[in-house]
Amino acid sequence: MKKFTLLLVLLMSVFSFAQNTGSVSGKLTDKEYNNEPLAFANVLIKGTTHGTTSDMDGSYRLDNLEVGSYTLIFSFVGYETQEIAIEVLAGKITEVNVVMAASAASLDEVVITTVKTRENETALLLEQKKATVIKESIGAERLSKIGVSNAANATTKISGVTKSEGSGAIYIRGLGDRYLSTTMNGLPIPSDDVENKNINLSLFSTNIIQNVGISKTYSTSSYADQSSGNVDVVSKEYTKKGFSVGLGSGYNTNVVGLDGNFKRSIITEDVTLGFHKKKYAVVDLITRQGWDPLTKNGTGNYNISLSGGKKFDVFGKELAITIAGTHSIVHQYQEGVFRSYRSNILDNEFTDTELFTTNINSTGYVNFRLKLNNDNKIKISSLSVINSSDNVYEQGRNGLGYVFDQDPQEDGAFVRDQNYKQTVLLVNQINGEHSLTENNTLKWAAGYNYVWAQEPNRIRNEANILDENTVQYAHVGDFQQRKSSQNIEDTEYNAFIKDEISFGNPDDDEILPYKLHVGANIRQKDRVFSSLFIGVRARDIQVPSVDMFSQTFTESGFENGLVLRERDPDRYDADLNIISGFANLDFGINKRFSGNVGVRFERDELNVIWDVANYVGRVGSISKSYSEIYPSANGKYQLNEKQALRFAASFTQTLPEFKELAPFEYVSPTGRVTRGDPSLEKSDVFNLDLKWEFFPETSELISATTFYKQIKNPINLAQTRGSSGIFQYSNTGEEANVFGLEFETRLSLLENEDEESLLNFNTNITKMWFNQDLLEEYQYNGQTDSELQGASDFIVNGSLGYNNQKEKEFIATLTGNYSSDKIFALGSPEDFANSAVLYNDEIIEKGFFTMDLVMSKQLTDKLLLKFVGRNLLNPEIEQTQLIRDINTSEVTNATVSSYKKGSLLSLSLKYTF
């Protein structure tokens, strides 16, 4: 720690030098809006091409000006142009503040097209055009138009990105959860789910999002654990004074008609306003709380949102505050089928699966931006998310369920799983930016994250329907009738510091050609996990109906055959410690060729200790440490004003996650079991990209990209050998290769007389080829290689939008998404000697097409009406598996999982004060 403190002190040391130049800075304000800052106005030195634009705070600055007299020209579309004479003094900063006022008519001049915030699509395209690294972003403006409600759905509108409907995980260029990283404002944020490395982006409502950016190439200022890319959620900041409130309501088409029959878990009896309060210990819940689900009326969806911002003058300093909050309730219902096979033999089958889900999400956000002066700014952001999900899952109510080798019989199997999941997430960040000299800027940030994710009382019953009046509890083990609890607590501290030093001989525009970035990152993440199972042995005990389980589990029941089964809780503690230093250099050889080269040293230490029932001896531990150097190079060649070629190459890694290392077994409602592998090792990845970009107009883009990745020791979800049928993350091969092509267009198809777009078309297409070798223990039926788990080889996203460009704006946007088949889990042999017959083939998640429609109408200057129709085609979400008949050797494609999510229709009003 002493060494790291010394490193921070050294990084904060800067160099300055005297020179015979001066600077001009100031602030532009908008007279038409109570002297609010005027962003992206033009500031030009008369008689030259040297100039700049004002930033989001209305501030501008011109550096390295020779001593002498100048005339500054200030302009903005629709505002009067002002010319002001100034004097530049050696080593001094001349401050010129200007109030801009509207003119009687629009100015007839050529200006840079600008926008007010980085939520706007044009501003993000401009940022993408200027960047030295390959990055794509989608802003709040476009998210609103296409009806995206959260960050998870936002990412799928970017080329090469898909979301698994089964798990909700995000895939970038075919690589899933473990291969990407998630940050908020550049700082890492933890997962809310033991099953995932990254946080569920659905928790981030668009009400708090400024934009969502995906960096598909690597720069050494970031952590090396990001092989497919980084998702950065940029939270909202103050842009203008005002306050808005929104109200919305809607329905899921699958839920219509279920009022009074929509199920909720018995656990919700302990929930008030979305908060679960545990009244009893799990062992006491066996008899003191029922076992049968309840029903509810009122299955509509609704949401309310609030947001606003205001600026204050505090002791002569500018303080801007932004607040936002949302609260929503969503009901979902799914019905379908589920099957599983072992060694090509049916293991269980249910043709009537049902899932009733009620999601409640509350989000609160506040951002403080303190501007001490033009050279020093500090931002503080705090986000809190409280999310709860009530789930009632049933299969086998029709009496046709089947479970191999179940007691008392295989037929008539029935399963019910009730679970209430609650997550509390706190993200607290502070960022600072300081212009130490004209050519030296220091940036720093620190964060504290806390996640508390719990399943306070999960209830599971397994039984057999013997006839219409007799149900007998299943008995293979003593925990088929059980209540359990699970608790995860994550705490994390992270920080970075970065010093940016510009140097070199200025070009014709007085821009220095080199910028050196040096800095360091630290991250400490701790997890405490616990899970407790309390089972009941109910052998030979019967009830009249699957809706009358509660009458069995009473105190008198334990006097008449029931046996309580307790065991020690499963636990694991884990920590991740990262310390790193980096240096990278932005360079501009000339006006055509620029880029960035860098190097990073990173030390990663992973420690896990566990005490779990399914591990021989229960107790074990591992400690893994990796110290590596990670280089990166990014290049940009400007073919002309509108076209550029980009190149990127880097080495990155994929670290095993806590849940992938700890041998704890988690059982899904369907009965699928996943566990970690303590022998898992990290993957090393080589990345290569080549991209062509063409910007026909300010808000238009055409691009094509080819990319390649080589992954050493790839990690995949695979089926393990043995009768348990467990899914496990493993290093399944020595090497995997990914090659892909991406195409993207954003075009205006129809414009009005003022050259404003009436009809626009956006699309991105990705085609990929995957291959990985398989280690011997994963080879079967002559198969020695495979595609990557979770990767779709063909992805298409598109949208067609209309805007009437009238004062009372009407916008309609139709969006579509298609992703092809992907491997849900790799296959494996059951027996090496007979691997041609005794094997489990890979499970495939079938491709499907989705379509959304969003229409909005500005009824008045302050009132907006919006209709959103999501998942209008309501495709079937299906998983299949090739099954080989042991007797005939005939291969059939069996459906192992299938359901529909339903279409979501909603109507909302937003009023801006």
Side-chain angles (χ1 to χ4, degrees):
M1 191 64 189
K2 291 182 179 179
K3 292 181 178 180
F4 181 71
T5 304
L6 179 59
L7 177 61
L8 292 181
V9 173
L10 291 174
L11 288 170
M12 295 180 67
S13 299
V14 297
F15 299 95
S16 62
F17 54 91
Q19 53 185 337
N20 193 30
T21 61
S23 301
V24 179
S25 68
K27 184 174 183 177
L28 304 184
T29 54
D30 191 341
K31 183 179 180 181
E32 307 304 317
Y33 287 89
N34 299 317
N35 291 323
E36 292 288 319
L38 184 61
F40 296 96
N42 301 315
V43 183
L44 183 69
I45 298 178
K46 189 174 183 179
T48 74
T49 59
H50 186 37
T52 187
T53 57
S54 55
D55 63 15
M56 247 67 75
D57 299 315
S59 300
Y60 72 94
R61 182 169 177 138
L62 296 168
D63 294 319
N64 299 316
L65 300 178
E66 296 291 336
V67 172
S69 300
Y70 297 88
T71 298
L72 297 183
I73 301 175
F74 300 89
S75 64
F76 190 75
V77 177
Y79 286 64
E80 290 183 349
T81 299
Q82 298 190 44
E83 296 188 7
I84 299 177
I86 63 165
E87 191 76 15
V88 174
L89 304 176
K92 302 292 185 181
I93 299 176
T94 302
E95 185 172 340
V96 182
N97 299 318
V98 181
V99 178
M100 302 289 287
S103 58
S106 296
L107 301 177
D108 185 18
E109 63 173 327
V110 178
V111 297
I112 301 173
T113 302
T114 58
V115 291
K116 297 242 178 176
T117 76
R118 291 177 65 234
E119 300 175 2
N120 184 280
E121 186 172 3
T122 304
L124 293 171
L125 274 179
L126 182 62
E127 183 180 275
Q128 178 178 331
K129 182 179 179 180
K130 292 181 177 181
T132 57
V133 297
I134 300 175
K135 180 181 180 181
E136 298 173 55
S137 301
I138 183 168
E141 179 184 81
R142 187 177 171 209
L143 296 179
S144 176
K145 291 179 181 179
I146 61 180
V148 169
S149 59
N150 57 62
N153 292 327
T155 61
T156 63
K157 309 307 176 184
I158 294 175
S159 61
V161 181
T162 57
K163 184 178 75 169
S164 169
E165 293 299 331
S167 65
I170 299 298
Y171 291 82
I172 300 177
R173 290 177 168 174
L175 300 179
D177 183 60
R178 80 190 64 84
Y179 288 102
L180 60 94
S181 63
T182 306
T183 55
M184 174 177 159
N185 302 321
L187 290 171
I189 47 180
S191 171
D192 63 304
D193 189 338
V194 66
E195 286 298 299
N196 297 316
K197 166 185 176 181
N198 293 278
I199 194 169
N200 181 1
L201 291 172
S202 299
L203 297 178
F204 292 86
S205 65
T206 50
N207 197 41
I208 65 168
I209 297 173
Q210 181 167 287
N211 66 72
V212 179
I214 292 184
S215 298
K216 299 177 185 175
T217 60
Y218 177 65
S219 177
T220 57
S221 59
S222 302
Y223 294 99
D225 186 11
Q226 48 169 295
S227 300
S228 64
N230 169 256
V231 179
D232 186 40
V233 179
V234 179
S235 61
K236 279 190 182 292
E237 292 182 20
Y238 175 85
T239 54
K240 61 181 180 180
K241 183 173 65 175
F243 182 78
S244 66
V245 59
L247 294 172
S249 181
Y251 253 97
N252 185 305
T253 55
N254 281 2
V255 177
V256 175
L258 288 179
D259 263 5
N261 293 307
F262 190 92
K263 294 181 181 179
R264 62 183 177 94
S265 72
I266 187 68
I267 310 159
T268 56
E269 292 291 273
D270 296 333
V271 175
T272 304
L273 298 176
F275 290 90
H276 180 274
K277 184 177 181 181
K278 200 167 187 175
K279 295 181 179 179
Y280 305 104
V282 178
V283 66
D284 296 324
L285 288 170
I286 297 293
T287 56
R288 294 192 177 187
Q289 183 191 63
W291 290 67
D292 301 314
L294 308 173
T295 58
K296 65 182 296 187
N297 295 308
T299 53
N301 304 330
Y302 73 84
N303 66 81
I304 181 171
S305 62
L306 303 170
S307 63
K310 188 174 177 59
K311 281 202 305 186
F312 303 89
D313 185 278
V314 180
F315 302 112
K317 309 299 181 184
E318 181 183 287
L319 176 64
I321 300 177
T322 301
I323 60 171
T326 62
H327 179 74
S328 65
I329 295 181
V330 176
H331 296 89
Q332 294 178 302
Y333 172 72
Q334 299 170 6
E335 57 182 356
V337 302
F338 177 79
R339 298 181 182 92
S340 67
Y341 293 83
R342 301 298 303 170
S343 299
N344 288 296
I345 297 174
L346 185 66
D347 193 54
N348 60 61
E349 179 181 41
F350 296 92
T351 58
D352 65 338
T353 65
E354 291 184 291
L355 176 61
F356 302 81
T357 302
T358 303
N359 285 305
I360 303 176
N361 188 80
S362 300
T363 302
Y365 171 76
V366 61
N367 174 274
F368 297 93
R369 187 182 67 205
L370 178 62
K371 185 176 180 181
L372 301 175
N373 51 46
N374 287 335
D375 295 327
N376 297 279
K377 302 174 185 177
I378 294 176
K379 301 173 186 177
I380 299 175
S381 300
S382 183
L383 171 70
S384 63
V385 178
I386 300 173
N387 179 267
S388 63
S389 177
D390 181 58
N391 303 276
V392 177
Y393 178 85
E394 289 188 354
Q395 55 188 22
R397 180 177 282 271
N398 62 4
L400 302 177
Y402 170 84
V403 174
F404 175 75
D405 201 25
Q406 177 157 286
D407 177 46
Q409 65 182 38
E410 295 178 335
D411 296 322
F414 173 81
V415 176
R416 178 187 293 134
D417 194 297
Q418 303 176 69
N419 197 5
Y420 190 87
K421 299 181 179 181
Q422 183 168 288
T423 301
V424 177
L425 167 71
L426 301 175
V427 178
N428 299 284
Q429 299 178 343
I430 180 170
N431 302 67
E433 181 174 336
H434 310 277
S435 297
L436 304 177
T437 69
E438 294 179 8
N439 301 320
N440 185 233
T441 301
L442 180 70
K443 297 179 179 180
W444 58 271
Y448 167 73
N449 304 323
Y450 175 76
V451 173
W452 180 31
Q454 60 169 335
E455 298 177 9
N457 181 17
R458 182 177 176 182
I459 305 171
R460 187 173 180 90
N461 296 102
E462 299 180 13
N464 287 87
I465 301 175
L466 303 183
D467 56 51
E468 60 181 16
N469 296 312
T470 311
V471 175
Q472 183 167 319
Y473 294 106
H475 182 268
V476 176
D478 289 343
F479 288 87
Q480 286 183 277
Q481 326 303 324
R482 65 175 181 261
K483 293 192 175 185
S484 62
S485 66
Q486 179 176 289
N487 189 76
I488 308 170
E489 278 192 90
D490 277 6
T491 56
E492 179 177 337
Y493 301 90
N494 51 65
F496 74 79
I497 185 168
K498 179 168 65 173
D499 196 17
E500 300 176 351
I501 305 170
S502 300
F503 62 95
N505 296 320
D507 60 17
D508 295 339
D509 295 326
E510 301 297 324
I511 298 175
L512 300 181
Y514 302 104
K515 181 183 285 187
L516 177 65
H517 307 257
V518 293
N521 307 82
I522 59 169
R523 185 181 185 190
Q524 182 182 22
K525 177 181 177 180
D526 298 288
R527 170 172 292 177
V528 177
F529 172 90
S530 64
S531 175
L532 177 63
F533 280 62
I534 303 295
V536 178
R537 180 180 179 180
R539 191 166 190 169
D540 299 327
I541 294 179
Q542 299 178 345
V543 289
S545 164
V546 295
D547 296 316
M548 303 177 68
F549 288 159
S550 294
Q551 72 179 35
T552 299
F553 302 97
T554 62
E555 292 185 3
S556 61
F558 283 93
E559 297 173 358
N560 293 280
L562 294 181
V563 179
L564 187 69
R565 295 299 190 189
E566 298 184 70
R567 71 183 193 192
D568 293 336
D570 292 328
R571 306 177 185 271
Y572 75 80
D573 292 352
D575 62 80
L576 169 66
N577 298 282
I578 302 176
I579 183 168
S580 60
F582 63 87
N584 59 71
L585 178 69
D586 293 337
F587 61 85
I589 303 300
N590 49 48
K591 289 188 176 181
R592 287 187 178 272
F593 185 57
S594 61
N596 172 282
V597 293
V599 64
R600 177 186 185 87
F601 172 78
E602 181 170 306
R603 184 179 186 276
D604 308 290
E605 183 180 324
L606 272 163
N607 301 293
V608 185
I609 183 171
W610 61 82
D611 178 1
V612 296
N614 57 275
Y615 184 78
V616 178
R618 288 197 60 104
V619 178
S621 66
I622 56 169
S623 182
K624 298 179 183 289
S625 180
Y626 307 102
S627 296
E628 303 283 351
I629 293 177
Y630 300 94
S632 71
N634 294 270
K636 175 185 175 184
Y637 185 77
Q638 197 74 37
L639 299 172
N640 53 47
E641 184 180 346
K642 295 185 176 182
Q643 298 185 64
L645 285 175
R646 296 178 181 272
F647 164 84
S650 64
F651 286 93
T652 56
Q653 66 174 347
T654 298
L655 292 172
E657 279 298 298
F658 295 151
K659 57 101 176 184
E660 295 176 346
L661 292 168
F664 171 74
E665 294 182 353
Y666 185 84
V667 183
S668 73
T670 62
R672 282 179 175 169
V673 181
T674 58
R675 73 179 177 200
D677 178 5
S679 66
L680 199 64
E681 293 293 340
K682 74 163 185 167
S683 299
D684 292 304
V685 185
F686 170 67
N687 311 281
L688 192 64
D689 287 73
L690 180 64
K691 183 176 186 178
W692 169 75
E693 289 180 335
F694 174 44
F695 296 85
E697 300 294 339
T698 305
S699 58
E700 296 184 336
L701 167 67
I702 301 174
S703 69
T705 306
T706 179
F707 59 89
Y708 170 76
K709 295 180 183 293
Q710 183 185 75
I711 306 171
K712 299 291 187 182
N713 298 319
I715 302 172
N716 291 276
L717 180 66
Q719 302 167 79
T720 62
R721 299 186 308 277
S723 60
S724 59
I726 290 173
F727 293 80
Q728 180 173 285
Y729 290 102
S730 301
N731 298 112
T732 56
E734 295 181 354
E735 181 179 298
N737 292 278
V738 181
F739 175 74
L741 298 172
E742 289 178 346
F743 302 94
E744 182 175 10
T745 61
R746 301 187 194 182
L747 298 174
S748 177
L749 303 180
L750 182 65
E751 297 180 341
N752 60 16
E753 295 177 353
D754 297 325
E755 297 185 349
E756 297 172 319
S757 178
L758 298 176
L759 188 67
N760 63 80
F761 176 68
N762 299 333
T763 186
N764 55 72
I765 303 172
T766 303
K767 173 61 180 175
M768 290 173 283
W769 294 264
F770 314 98
N771 181 263
Q772 64 174 334
D773 66 306
L774 294 175
L775 298 176
E776 184 179 5
E777 55 263 42
Y778 296 98
Q779 297 176 10
Y780 60 92
N781 195 27
Q783 186 168 341
T784 59
D785 61 3
S786 172
E787 295 186 351
L788 280 175
Q789 177 252 328
S792 295
D793 67 351
F794 187 64
I795 303 167
V796 180
N797 298 307
S799 68
L800 183 66
Y802 171 78
N803 188 324
N804 67 353
Q805 298 293 352
K806 303 292 185 181
E807 182 178 352
K808 292 184 179 179
E809 191 175 50
F810 171 74
I811 298 174
T813 305
L814 184 69
T815 63
N817 169 269
Y818 173 77
S819 58
S820 63
D821 296 359
K822 63 172 72 74
I823 297 175
F824 170 78
L826 297 185
S828 67
E830 286 281 2
D831 180 84
F832 283 130
N834 300 287
S835 63
V837 178
L838 301 179
Y839 64 87
N840 302 299
D841 215 322
E842 57 195 16
I843 296 176
I844 304 296
E845 186 175 304
K846 303 296 289 183
F848 56 90
F849 183 80
T850 62
M851 182 175 290
D852 301 337
L853 174 65
V854 179
M855 295 186 293
S856 64
K857 173 65 177 176
Q858 197 73 43
L859 301 178
T860 69
D861 292 342
K862 297 183 177 182
L863 186 62
L864 177 71
L865 175 67
K866 179 181 287 187
F867 166 81
V868 177
R870 295 181 56 194
N871 196 37
L872 294 176
L873 302 179
N874 193 21
E876 192 169 28
I877 312 301
E878 186 179 18
Q879 293 180 357
T880 63
Q881 187 176 21
L882 294 178
I883 303 300
R884 180 177 179 175
D885 189 286
I886 293 179
N887 298 317
T888 66
S889 297
E890 181 182 353
V891 176
T892 58
N893 195 20
T895 298
V896 296
S897 176
S898 178
Y899 62 90
K900 290 186 176 182
K901 297 183 66 177
S903 300
L904 180 64
L905 308 176
S906 64
L907 197 65
S908 64
L909 284 171
K910 180 181 179 181
Y911 188 84
T912 303
F913 295 89

